[in-house]
């Protein structure tokens, strides 16, 4: 009766599974109809030349699925309705589609002109070759054999205690942050931290400020949370907080130590004005300190959070620039009274970080290897930044305005007003350069230029970039 | 003039930073007033007995901060207003506080009775000692030295291509899932996947169904997204989908292969009814397949997603039960037309996974080591589950009803109706047992019992648990 229905493949899936699928498929397709009596497991095993255990296992699965009924002493019998399966092929895809909130979350505000994969001179992207792979591999090998208890299980959602302690100490000493371990929350990325805080501290329709020009990720996070986004204009003294007055904004996103993407540093007067204005409006300042650990000029400039003292600043930092974005390891320092609710929301949203990466990073901080590494990459990136700027200045002269970077991974090359920077960026993207138009970073007044990374700058690459630019703008 | 103002500590922070802080603090505190002229860097260096470079670096930082003005040929001069700092101490904490959305996200719906740290017989928690640490350490050491290109940078947000391919193949073969690599999205946890999908597919006020009894994480995710949550009652044939009819629900969360926490398997009829009802209501089914990889009975039972064929199911799986929650590595298989928008929202929310854990897991799948490991833990957990159930049956007899688990990490011990299970759970928690009341898992009809894990079951521990229970319920 079952001839041709069950064809066993000795090298295929486990035998019980093969039998289970063959009979289940046949029942659903109507080839085995309701009421059909199957051979006993003994008969079936003999017929197929396999062990009775395999057949019993298959029957148990079929019984659990409701395909067969098995009564003590009686042979199993098909109970499934043959027509069930057919009904499920039509109507595919109904009910899909994003909600209004989903549409907001899925908007992509990046204005990259080409494919980012392998784009040259891309801003914000570190050189993977500078990642200390051997050191990290040794750390990982060690920590993977350690037991972590609650942190490896479902507790301590906000991060490995050892890393929280190490980071609080490191950030206090090296970044002037005022932090205890209890204020530290480990998240997969600054973007994760922004989305966590934004969702927890605002409701749709609330106002938030971003810098202009500024980081697209902050704009995307605010748009995803359905905020009304306004612009703080940035000049060579950093973001100007005057627009905050009377805005009733809930959040203000800034990069005070090293503005993204221009590299400006916010001066003390503006820092104080910003903190004053934020407090007056009842706003929280989100301080993104993404790459200030490897400034080669003024590396010791203190974080805004350290001078605030009032709990109105949330500090965000990351290993993405100093080590590798793929580690997915970033951190926040939050006001004490927000630490517990943010942790609970973090658990709910699943914004958690691999335990071994956390432990390895703690080792790097504790051993001093991180500070050594930061010095090393600062030297390298300084050379590459200098190479980029000197080459472009020598080749393009007055047609551009480009500042020598004080740190980080990118700088801005200003172009004459009226130049179509988006068009130039698009032309460069076709040649493999991911150097987006400065205007695309502007939420307010448009500025004209290109944002140029130098983490991967080589003489040859920069020379080719200059060649192309000469043809486009001079 | 600067005597007593700058006290250098040779073993402290870098010298430029010490000078920068001392002068900055003094200016902000009013000890150095506007207009005060500082020594030249040469004089200052001589006075402090340090290099002129250190002083120059400090002056550069102070200038960038707007604390001093430096003009060519002239000595630096204090420009900061002394009163600025003082204003920033009062008013601390204003503007804090969660939004309505934040309150929803920060709600903790878990009904654990005690501290989870180190709780014994805790449901859902794997034994950390069974994590294949040596194998994982070797994998990590290898992959940490590899270059990943775009996946280690800011691209390929949805996961390492190699892992997506390996998972699509693995899930197709071992779980009956119908998946191409393009449908796979890697997230830090099933909770992360639930929050991503819930936020993308619903708006506040939409309806969603969860199983009752059921997984608190799904209820928390729905509550965090401000959904109206309704209950699908679960019996020994799994969740009953009849409540779906006419509900206009957007999401239905189920654990069809191994119900959490009772262990029931949803039969074929109900699976078909559920898919039908979901399509009629325009709902997406969230299939949580959290621990079905190590069933010892019926391990080959196929996923609901594999029989749906219509794209109305999102499948979720994880390494948290089979390996270690701390890896923060889980995965989803999503309908093709949702893959791109979900990826974009994933980028926005920062729900990304460590690259080395992804690569190591891909190695485990590709090499066959994962399947070997799954067999090994299935044997061990089967023994421990049997130990728990046999001991409790022998000791407590008719006072309880406890099913022999077919897989996973926990089972349910039913108690007589009218028993105050929450009180019993609280008493057990005081003795170190994290075995929550079954009633706390119920969103609808209350059921009475305890949810008991067995991943850490030993004769001694189970014996002590039985001793306590005898005193509490018999």
């Amino acid at each position: 009766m079952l001839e041709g229905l069950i064809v066993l493949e000795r090298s295929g899936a486990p035998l019980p599974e093969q039998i289970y699928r063959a009979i289940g498929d046949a029942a659903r397709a109507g080839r085995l109809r309701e009421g059909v009596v199957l051979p006993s497991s003994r008969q079936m095993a003999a017929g197929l030349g396999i062990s009775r255990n395999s057949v019993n296992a298959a029957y148990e699965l079929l019984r659990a699925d409701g395909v067969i009924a098995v009564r003590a002493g009686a042979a199993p019998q098909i109970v499934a309705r043959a027509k069930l399966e057919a009904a499920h092929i039509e109507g595919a895809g109904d009910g899909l589609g994003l909600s209004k909130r989903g549409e907001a979350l899925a908007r992509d505000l990046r204005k990259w002109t080409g494919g980012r994969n392998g784009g040259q001179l891309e801003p914000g992207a570190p050189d993977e070759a500078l990642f200390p792979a051997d050191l990290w591999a040794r750390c990982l090998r060690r920590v993977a054999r350690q037991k972590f208890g609650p942190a490896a299980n479902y507790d301590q959602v906000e991060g490995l205690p050892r890393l929280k302690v190490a980071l609080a100490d490191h950030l206090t000493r090296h970044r002037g942050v005022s932090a205890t371990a209890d204020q530290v929350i480990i998240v997969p990325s600054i973007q994760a931290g922004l989305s966590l805080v934004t969702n927890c501290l605002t409701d749709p329709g609330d106002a938030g400020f971003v810098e202009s020009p500024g980081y697209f990720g902050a704009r995307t996070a605010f748009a995803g949370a359905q905020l009304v986004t306004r612009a703080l204009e940035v000049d060579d003294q950093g973001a100007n907080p005057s627009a905050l007055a009377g805005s009733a904004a809930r959040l203000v996103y800034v990069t005070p130590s090293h503005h993204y993407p221009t590299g400006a540093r916010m001066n003390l007067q503006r820092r104080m004005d910003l903190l004053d204005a934020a407090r007056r409006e009842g706003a929280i300042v989100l301080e993104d300190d993404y790459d200030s650990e490897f400034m080669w000029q003024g590396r010791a400039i203190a974080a805004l959070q350290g001078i605030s003292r009032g709990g109105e600043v949330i500090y965000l930092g990351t290993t993405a620039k100093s080590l590798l974005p793929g580690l997915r390891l970033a951190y926040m320092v939050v006001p004490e009274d927000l630490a517990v609710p943010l942790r609970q929301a973090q658990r709910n949203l699943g914004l958690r970080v691999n335990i071994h990466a956390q432990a390895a990073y703690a080792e790097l901080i504790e051993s001093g290897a991180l500070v050594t590494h930061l010095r090393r990459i600062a030297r390298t990136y300084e050379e590459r930044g200098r190479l980029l700027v000197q080459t472009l200045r020598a080749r393009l002269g007055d047609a551009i305005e480009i500042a020598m970077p004080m740190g980080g991974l990118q700088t801005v090359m200003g172009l004459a007003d009226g130049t179509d920077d988006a068009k130039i960026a698009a032309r460069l993207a076709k040649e493999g350069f991911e150097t987006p138009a400065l205007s695309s970073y502007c939420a307010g007044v448009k500025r004209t230029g290109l944002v140029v990374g130098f983490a991967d700058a080589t003489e040859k690459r920069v020379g080719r970039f200059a060649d192309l630019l000469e043809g486009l703008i001079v």
Side-chain angles (χ1 to χ4, degrees), chain A:
Chain A
M1 185 215 70
L2 291 169
E3 277 85 12
L5 197 70
I6 301 177
V7 182
L8 296 178
E9 292 174 43
R10 292 286 160 172
S11 60
L15 295 176
E17 188 176 350
Q18 292 189 42
I19 299 168
Y20 158 72
R21 284 185 190 280
I23 295 178
D25 288 349
R28 283 186 288 273
R31 296 195 301 278
L32 282 175
R33 274 189 284 183
E34 188 173 358
V36 164
V37 175
L38 296 181
S40 72
S41 59
R42 188 187 303 270
Q43 291 170 318
M44 174 80 94
L48 293 169
I50 63 176
S51 85
R52 197 175 161 193
N53 281 344
S54 292
V55 179
N56 278 331
Y59 280 3
E60 166 58 23
L61 294 171
L62 291 163
R63 193 202 56 73
D65 265 359
V67 174
I68 61 173
V70 185
R71 273 176 306 274
Q77 214 174 350
I78 298 286
V79 293
R81 246 52 46 96
K83 59 192 176 293
L84 285 172
E85 180 68 2
H88 287 271
I89 293 166
E90 52 187 306
D94 291 357
L96 292 183
L98 302 189
S99 62
K100 192 178 158 198
R101 169 167 58 195
E103 297 282 1
L105 282 170
R107 280 174 65 193
D108 191 349
L109 296 184
R110 287 175 307 156
K111 295 288 170 49
W112 306 101
T113 47
R116 297 189 79 193
N117 293 352
Q120 297 170 58
L121 302 184
E122 178 180 332
D127 182 0
E128 191 176 1
L130 295 182
F131 175 62
D134 286 337
L135 176 63
W136 194 255
R138 284 196 302 275
C139 283
L140 282 183
R141 188 178 54 161
R142 254 196 311 276
V143 302
R145 293 190 167 94
Q146 293 169 5
K147 294 268 185 295
F148 295 97
N153 205 317
Y154 290 96
D155 295 302
Q156 297 174 340
V157 58
E158 77 283 4
L160 185 65
R162 177 182 168 195
L163 178 57
K164 287 162 58 190
V165 170
L167 267 173
D169 180 61
H170 174 76
L171 295 173
T172 301
R173 280 211 255 175
H174 294 273
R175 300 294 307 120
V177 169
S178 165
T180 64
D182 284 343
Q183 292 174 266
V184 175
I185 293 181
I186 315 290
V187 286
S189 60
I190 284 182
Q191 190 67 28
L194 291 175
S195 77
L196 174 61
V197 169
T198 304
N199 279 292
C200 283
L201 298 183
T202 68
D203 284 312
D206 284 347
F209 276 89
V210 294
E211 295 170 324
S212 176
Y215 175 54
F216 65 85
R219 281 159 71 188
T220 307
F222 283 11
Q226 298 166 280
L227 297 200
V228 176
T229 303
R230 297 183 55 187
L232 282 190
E233 293 297 334
V234 175
D235 57 30
D236 59 1
Q237 297 301 305
N240 184 336
S242 59
L244 266 169
S247 67
R250 289 291 295 140
L251 296 176
V252 186
Y253 169 88
V254 287
T255 52
S257 296
H258 190 231
H259 174 255
Y260 190 87
T262 68
R265 281 193 280 195
M266 193 185 288
N267 69 27
L268 184 60
Q269 181 67 57
R270 285 193 172 171
R271 288 172 189 236
M272 294 303 180
D273 289 347
L274 172 61
L275 294 172
D276 275 340
R279 201 168 42 248
R280 270 196 306 272
E281 304 302 322
I284 296 273
V285 176
L286 307 179
E287 177 180 21
D288 184 349
D289 200 40
Y290 60 105
D291 71 359
S292 304
E293 285 184 314
F294 51 99
M295 305 287 280
W296 38 91
Q297 236 190 311
R299 71 179 219 283
I301 201 160
L304 184 62
Q305 193 267 4
I307 59 165
S308 76
R309 299 214 182 132
E312 66 270 41
V313 178
I314 289 178
Y315 175 91
L316 299 115
T318 183
T319 64
K321 310 300 181 184
S322 56
L323 292 168
L324 197 68
L327 299 184
R328 309 297 167 212
L329 173 51
Y331 40 85
M332 302 197 288
V333 176
V334 307
E336 277 170 28
D337 49 357
L338 279 178
V340 170
L342 285 175
R343 250 180 241 174
Q344 282 170 199
Q346 177 186 23
R347 178 192 294 278
N348 192 351
L349 295 167
L351 290 168
R352 301 181 73 158
V353 176
N354 178 264
I355 194 78
H356 300 128
Q358 290 190 67
Y361 191 51
E363 281 212 0
L364 248 56
I365 296 174
E366 291 162 4
S367 67
L370 178 65
V371 172
T372 308
H373 169 72
L374 291 171
R375 274 197 217 111
R376 179 175 148 250
I377 62 171
R379 277 197 301 274
T380 304
Y381 286 138
E382 180 177 14
E383 280 166 22
R384 293 179 189 179
R386 195 177 299 278
L387 169 69
L388 176 81
V389 170
Q390 286 174 345
T391 306
L392 293 183
R393 280 181 181 163
R395 293 282 300 275
L396 298 158
D398 289 344
I400 62 162
E401 191 176 76
I402 186 165
M404 190 64 78
M406 296 185 292
L409 304 167
Q410 65 285 315
T411 190
V412 159
M413 186 181 82
L415 293 170
D417 285 347
T419 310
D420 186 348
D421 59 359
K423 191 173 160 192
I424 290 173
R427 296 283 288 277
L428 289 163
K430 278 194 191 133
E431 303 294 330
F433 289 98
E434 191 59 66
T435 53
L438 179 58
S439 60
S440 70
Y441 289 75
C442 297
V445 178
K446 293 289 175 202
R447 283 164 62 177
T448 309
L450 296 176
V451 182
V452 187
F454 50 78
D456 61 343
T458 60
E459 267 188 51
K460 193 177 160 194
R461 185 167 288 161
V462 172
R464 209 179 133 244
F465 186 62
D467 290 346
L468 289 166
L469 277 176
E470 276 185 335
L472 290 167
I473 60 171
V474 179

